[in-house]
Amino acid sequence: MECNSLKKLLFGSLLLAAAGCLDSCSETSDVVWDIAPIVPKIYLNDADGRNLLDPAVGEGVDISGVSATFREETYYVTSGEDTKAYLPVFIGLVLKQDFKGNYCLEFGELDGTEDFSNESLAIDWGDGSSTVITIYNRFRWKNNGSPAISRHFLLDGVRTKDEVPVFYVVK
């Protein structure tokens, strides 16, 4: 009798442990998702491939006249440097150098969990010309707790090939 009770206790303990493992491995576990912000990056080159945002280019764009309009708010270019820290904050329109040393404009950061239904980001180049980037972002949580993101961009009305917000403009 004592052996039979011990077997029942052991079997019950194993069942309890297995149930605990299954529960902790379920799709509804407490996973923390870090959703990347949307940061459109705009490169501006001439037909010869010269970077018109580079101050060393003699006939480049006068950056003091460049602005971006998003949700009826206008942002002028500021200078910025990358840091190793990831601090998702909205800073507007920034002139930066990428990891290769090429100059570009970055706009944002826009919240990657916010829905954008074809929102326009208009870049005024300060010379009467402009570029329009259209942002579509649909974010939702799936039933299993993972994120579902549908994202695309248009550059002057033409849909880009992928979901990466990097744009090359030729003037």
Side-chain angles (χ1 to χ4, degrees):
M1 189 85 170
E2 200 173 294
C3 185
N4 199 18
S5 295
L6 188 58
K7 284 182 183 178
K8 286 181 182 178
L9 180 64
L10 182 60
F11 181 72
S13 297
L14 286 173
L15 275 177
L16 208 57
C21 283
L22 288 175
D23 184 53
S24 68
C25 298
S26 72
E27 294 181 24
T28 59
S29 64
D30 293 331
V31 175
V32 176
W33 291 92
D34 186 13
I35 308 301
I38 301 167
V39 185
K41 185 178 287 196
I42 304 108
Y43 291 87
L44 180 67
N45 295 335
D46 66 10
D48 296 326
R50 293 181 305 159
N51 187 323
L52 298 177
L53 297 172
D54 187 340
V57 173
E59 298 172 11
V61 170
D62 177 10
I63 205 71
S64 67
V66 176
S67 65
T69 303
F70 183 73
R71 292 185 169 171
E72 300 180 17
E73 189 84 26
T74 300
Y75 303 89
Y76 293 92
V77 178
T78 61
S79 293
E81 295 183 20
D82 287 327
T83 66
K84 291 186 179 188
Y86 180 72
L87 305 170
V89 272
F90 182 81
I91 52 176
L93 186 63
V94 180
L95 178 65
K96 287 188 165 185
Q97 283 184 286
D98 66 12
F99 68 96
K100 292 182 178 179
N102 297 314
Y103 283 86
C104 64
L105 294 172
E106 286 187 354
F107 184 79
E109 301 175 334
L110 304 175
D111 185 353
T113 65
E114 186 175 344
D115 285 344
F116 296 103
S117 184
N118 296 319
E119 296 272 356
S120 292
L121 168 62
I123 309 294
D124 178 346
W125 296 114
D127 62 0
S129 66
S130 63
T131 298
V132 177
I133 296 168
T134 306
I135 302 167
Y136 176 87
N137 190 66
R138 170 79 168 102
F139 178 89
R140 66 179 178 81
W141 292 106
K142 295 180 186 176
N143 289 337
N144 67 3
S146 65
I149 302 171
S150 176
R151 181 179 293 164
H152 65 263
F153 303 94
L154 286 81
L155 179 61
D156 288 328
V158 178
R159 189 168 175 168
T160 59
K161 293 180 183 178
D162 54 30
E163 297 175 356
V164 179
V166 176
F167 308 95
Y168 295 90
V169 178
V170 177
K171 281 187 59 105

